[in-house]
Amino acid sequence: LADVKTVMPHIRFVIVGDGSERGALEWLSRKLMLQDSVRFVGNQPDIEQWYRNIHLVLLPNTQETHTQFSITHALAARTPVLCTDISESQEMNEQFENVFLVPKGSSEKLSEMIFSIYHDYESAFTRAMQVQQRIFDERSKERLQEQFLRFL
């Protein structure tokens, strides 16, 4: 992320959650002198609000934890998603076809993809909007099916 900050000095990162890596990430942000650009906000009860107010959700997960939830909610908020190619994110990409994937452990590819999305943000946003509609359509179908079954 320091590479990204060098090219795009105005960029800001928000780290949501209190996972086991928070301390290491805080230390790393200080070591890379990024503390003015990185904000740690801890667990948030209304994650959808965060997704609606940011330009890109970055999920550099190395483990299968909450990835599907995060991707679905971010895309439902029309926010492009960039994540590592662990199996959960690959499955979500197969389902929605609009998740940006990079190899796990490749900070170089991660930076390159952030630059790519930034330089063609309109396209990334359009892709996220298309997925948002599909998610809402699926949720509507599920609700209708539930209501119908309750009626029976």
Side-chain angles (χ1 to χ4, degrees), residues 12-14 16 39 44 46-57 73-80 121 125:
R12 300 292 179 261
F13 301 97
V14 177
V16 178
R39 183 174 167 205
Q44 296 295 309
D46 186 10
I47 194 67
E48 285 83 9
Q49 178 180 341
W50 286 93
Y51 288 149
R52 285 189 300 272
N53 291 305
I54 58 177
H55 292 101
L56 176 66
V57 170
H73 283 78
L75 291 172
R78 293 188 306 199
T79 305
Y121 188 75
F125 183 74

Side-chain angles (χ1 to χ4, degrees), residues 10-77:
H10 60 281
I11 197 165
R12 300 292 179 261
F13 301 97
V14 177
I15 311 293
V16 178
D18 286 321
S20 61
E21 296 298 317
R22 180 174 175 160
L25 289 172
E26 289 175 334
W27 174 83
L28 186 59
S29 73
R30 287 189 301 274
K31 180 181 179 197
L32 298 173
M33 297 187 296
L34 294 173
Q35 57 270 46
D36 291 340
S37 301
V38 180
R39 183 174 167 205
F40 293 86
V41 297
N43 288 326
Q44 296 295 309
D46 186 10
I47 194 67
E48 285 83 9
Q49 178 180 341
W50 286 93
Y51 288 149
R52 285 189 300 272
N53 291 305
I54 58 177
H55 292 101
L56 176 66
V57 170
L58 177 60
L59 299 168
N61 295 358
T62 58
Q63 302 172 356
E64 310 286 331
T65 56
H66 311 297
T67 305
Q68 290 181 342
F69 174 88
S70 299
I71 291 172
T72 302
H73 283 78
L75 291 172

